[in-house]
Amino acid sequence: MKKIEAIIKPFKMDDVREALGEIGITGMTVSEVKGFGRQKGHTELYRGAEYMVDFLPKVKLEIVVDDETAERCIEAIMSTAQTGKIGDGKIFVTNVERVIRIRTGEENADAI
């Protein structure tokens, strides 16, 4: 099993969710996060004063899938979240040793 964590631009969330639904992804965890990378933030104007916004709003998706589905999931995220501009985000893929559904005690693939 793989855990896929994707950090994307907030306005791309609905497109990504729809693309993942089309390949059979039925569950995910979504968090609103802030951060920066090469994009470094930007300046904004508030009541005539300019100030630096260091941490930009992003959305973090977390999905656990079986090994066979992982590559299709990554491709779906990449194709829908990509704008071609700096700040499109990142995808992190890690191995998952064990998954347990608390309600039923089901494990691994049955628990996803």
Side-chain angles (χ1 to χ4, degrees):
M1 290 176 294
K2 304 284 185 201
K3 180 178 183 181
I4 299 170
E5 295 179 72
I7 311 293
I8 63 172
K9 292 182 174 183
F11 69 89
K12 286 295 195 172
M13 181 58 222
D14 288 335
D15 295 338
V16 171
R17 184 171 40 103
E18 189 174 307
L20 290 170
E22 288 174 6
I23 63 167
I25 303 300
T26 57
M28 67 183 76
T29 301
V30 178
S31 307
E32 292 180 4
V33 297
K34 293 183 180 202
F36 69 92
R38 290 186 182 155
Q39 199 174 5
K40 300 265 198 298
H42 63 278
T43 57
E44 287 190 5
L45 205 59
Y46 179 72
R47 295 188 177 182
E50 193 174 278
Y51 65 99
M52 184 69 179
V53 178
D54 292 328
F55 295 101
L56 300 170
K58 301 287 183 179
V59 171
K60 180 179 180 181
L61 291 118
E62 296 176 86
I63 307 161
V64 177
V65 295
D66 56 36
D67 291 339
E68 296 77 36
T69 310
E71 199 57 42
R72 289 188 309 153
C73 185
I74 292 164
E75 289 170 9
I77 295 168
M78 283 185 61
S79 64
T80 53
Q82 188 176 53
T83 67
K85 297 183 179 159
I86 195 165
D88 275 351
K90 296 226 179 355
I91 299 173
F92 304 95
V93 182
T94 55
N95 288 319
V96 174
E97 287 186 32
R98 189 174 176 198
V99 176
I100 304 164
R101 184 185 312 266
I102 294 172
R103 178 177 53 90
T104 62
E106 293 170 299
E107 293 197 27
N108 301 324
D110 294 331
I112 295 179

